[in-house]
Each structure stands twice: as C-alpha cells, then as structure tokens.
Amino acid sequence: MTRPDAGLTLVGGGRMGSALAGGWIQSGYEGQIAVHDPKPSDQLKAWEANGKIRLNPAPSPAATLVVAVKPQVFGTISDELKAFVGPDTLVLSIMAGITLDGLATGLGTPRVARAMPNTPGLIGKGMTLLCLPQTASADDANALHKLLSPLGDVEGPITEDKISAATAISGCGPAYGFLLAEVMAAAGVAHGLDADMALRLARKTVEGAGALMMSSDEPPSTLRENVTSPGGVTKAALDVLMRDGAMPSLMEEAVAAAVRRDRELSGE
Ligand SMILES: NC(=O)C1=CN([C@@H]2O[C@H](COP(=O)(O)OP(=O)(O)OC[C@H]3O[C@@H](n4cnc5c(N)ncnc54)[C@H](O)[C@@H]3O)[C@@H](O)[C@H]2O)C=CC1
Ligand SMILES: O=C(O)[C@@H]1CCC=N1
C-alpha cells in the first residue's frame, strides 16, 4: 500500500477501527498512526508496545481523521474531536447514521467522507461502500479507497441517498448470513443431529456456498437451481421457504426495517 497520508488518527479502536489499523500496520504504513480509545484493547496496547501506533497522544490536527466510534457516542464527543481537525484535515467516518452534513457541522469542516464497511473486513473479506460529497476531489477519493482497502473490496463513491439501503444489505448482511447458519443448525438438531455436528455442517455449508458463489460466473439463482433436483429433496425444502413468497417478502420487510432505522439514526 502506498502511504495514504502522514499523520493518520483513528478515533475508536474497537472491532472495525482495529481491523483498519491492523491493515495499515500489516501493509507497511510508514506514517504516524495515532489511535484514541478510552478503553484500549490488548491488541491496541501490544501495537503501542511494538511502536506501531501511538495510543491516546495529546490531540492535534491530523492529515486524515478516521472516526469509528458508535454513532450515539459521536454526538457526545464531536466538540472534542474538533481538536483533531485542522484546515487540511480529511475526515472519514465509518459510523452508521451520521450524515455528511452531520459530520461537517459536528467537526467544523466540509472535507468529510463516509464509508460503510462490514465485519468480514476483520479478515480482509469485507465489502465497503464509500460515500463522498460532490465537492470531493479525485485525490481524496483515491486516498480513501487505499485507506479502506485493508478491509477487502471497496466500491464507490455512492451518493448518500443510497447509503441506508447499502447499510441494510452489506453492512448488516453478515448478521443475516450468521442467522442462516444458526437456524440451519437448530433445525438439524431438531431432526436428530448432535449440536456440534449440526453447527459444523451449517458453518461449512454457508462458507462453501459463499465461496462457490464468488468463484462462479453463474448468478446465485442458477447455483440454487443446480442444487435443486426436479422432484427431489432440496425442492421440498425450497417449496416451504418460497411458499407465497415467504423468504423474499420476509427479507424485504427486514431490509425495510434496517433502512428505516438507519434513517432514524440520521435524524431524517
Ligand atoms: N460492527 C459492524 O458490523 C459495523 C459497524 N459500523 C460502524 O462502525 C462503528 C464502530 O463499530 P464497532 O467497531 O463494531 O464498535 P466497537 O464497540 O467494537 O468499537 C467502538 C470503540 O469506540 C471506543 N470509544 C468509545 N468512546 C470513545 C471515545 N470517546 N473516544 C474514542 N473511542 C471511544 C470504544 O472503547 C470501542 O473500542 C459504529 O459507528 C458502527 O456504526 C459500520 C459497519 C459495520
Ligand atoms: O447495526 C449497526 O448499526 C451497524 C451498522 C451496520 C452493521 N452494524
């Protein structure tokens, strides 16, 4: 990775923040990385001990400020965060529900951007959407793509009116995939498998289906049909899942609720 900037400051070194910091460290980022977190994890402390980051140094304006606290925390600390923002600071937020306007107002700069990552980014298999104001420069867009690349794929910029839907699909989506594994395992137990084996089968199957989907040129619907022998066993199960559009309408309702909640958090 080329150096995105000298003087990178991360506020919030939790799951997603640490995934980013870990990626910057691993890819040989040469500038100063400062991480601010009142409850630093053992990982953050180890990076500090190895000289990879500076932990909670005195605040000063950063070249790039990445905000990765919970959206509810942002409202309470935005005034304090102004100490990290100078006239040349580029701000990137990965918080759900905090708009570009909210960032610009809260931090007192128009040079702001948003990204929506997901937890597979913890292992570099994530999907991140980048959202920029119309005034953003190509240089800023490129720098932010590079900054987010340790998490996996980065797409965008997308316009802000799309971010609630994108959050509901790829931001929240890993939870839907994990839920699928959970309920498959529970159904296996209900039909006589022991719990460990049921979980093993469900996890490996969800992983395998995902890997096949990504290595194939076929759309998911064709891969589904390839499993479904006419008059066979899969068809019996899918007839239940798709009865009266059950699965599509449940997913549509769930995504609508997520979109609604994201907009509520944005104060829309
Ligand atoms: N977890 C997920 O799947 C996703 C999360 N996000 C967004 O990422 C952000 C962070 O989420 P996670 O990493 O999952 O949460 P997390 O709870 O793992 O990390 C938040 C971190 O912020 C720290 N913190 C609290 N108050 C602070 C303060 N005053 N100054 C500095 N740090 C402070 C906490 O100690 C914690 O380490 C959230 O805004 C969330 O909307 C976005 C996409 C996916
Ligand atoms: O649940 C949340 O609010 C965050 C945003 C996307 C995933 N986690």
Side-chain angles (χ1 to χ4, degrees), residues 11 31 44 57 70 93 100 102 110 114 123 129 139 148 159 172 183 189 192 194 219 224-225 239 244 259 261-263:
V11 177
L44 291 180
K70 294 289 184 192
S93 156
L100 292 169
R114 296 178 66 184
I123 55 162
L129 280 318
D139 280 356
L148 291 161
T159 51
C172 310
V183 297
V189 170
D194 76 63
R224 169 173 55 77
E225 283 157 14
D239 281 350
D244 300 324
V259 166
R261 181 62 188 141
D262 189 72
R263 294 196 172 138

Side-chain angles (χ1 to χ4, degrees), residues 39-186:
K39 290 188 186 153
S41 62
D42 289 345
Q43 176 68 85
L44 291 180
K45 289 178 192 161
W47 283 334
E48 184 194 34
N50 294 334
K52 306 288 186 196
I53 63 169
R54 290 187 306 147
L55 195 49
N56 298 321
S60 62
T64 306
L65 172 66
V66 179
V67 186
V69 295
K70 294 289 184 192
Q72 292 85 350
V73 170
F74 177 72
T76 67
I77 63 166
S78 60
D79 273 344
E80 289 167 46
L81 294 185
K82 285 181 177 159
F84 300 104
V85 180
D88 298 324
T89 303
L90 171 61
V91 176
L92 173 67
S93 156
I94 64 162
M95 297 177 288
I98 305 291
T99 60
L100 292 169
D101 271 356
L103 288 168
T105 307
L107 299 174
T109 175
R111 205 165 159 219
V112 293
R114 296 178 66 184
M116 180 43 57
N118 64 12
T119 54
L122 304 182
I123 55 162
K125 298 266 186 195
M127 178 73 248
T128 302
L129 280 318
L130 181 60
C131 168
L132 300 170
Q134 287 195 331
T135 51
S137 68
D139 280 356
D140 281 358
N142 288 336
L144 292 172
H145 265 270
K146 280 186 190 133
L147 205 61
L148 291 161
S149 63
L151 296 177
D153 289 2
V154 183
E155 269 193 35
I158 59 168
T159 51
E160 200 165 26
D161 58 330
K162 301 278 189 292
I163 206 158
S164 295
T167 300
I169 301 302
S170 60
C172 310
Y176 315 155
F178 301 137
L179 178 63
L180 180 63
E182 279 178 72
V183 297
M184 278 170 63

Side-chain angles (χ1 to χ4, degrees), residues 244-267:
D244 300 324
M247 184 88 174
S249 78
L250 192 60
M251 183 55 76
E252 209 285 315
E253 209 181 315
V255 166
V259 166
R260 211 164 36 244
R261 181 62 188 141
D262 189 72
R263 294 196 172 138
E264 276 167 15
L265 283 172
S266 310

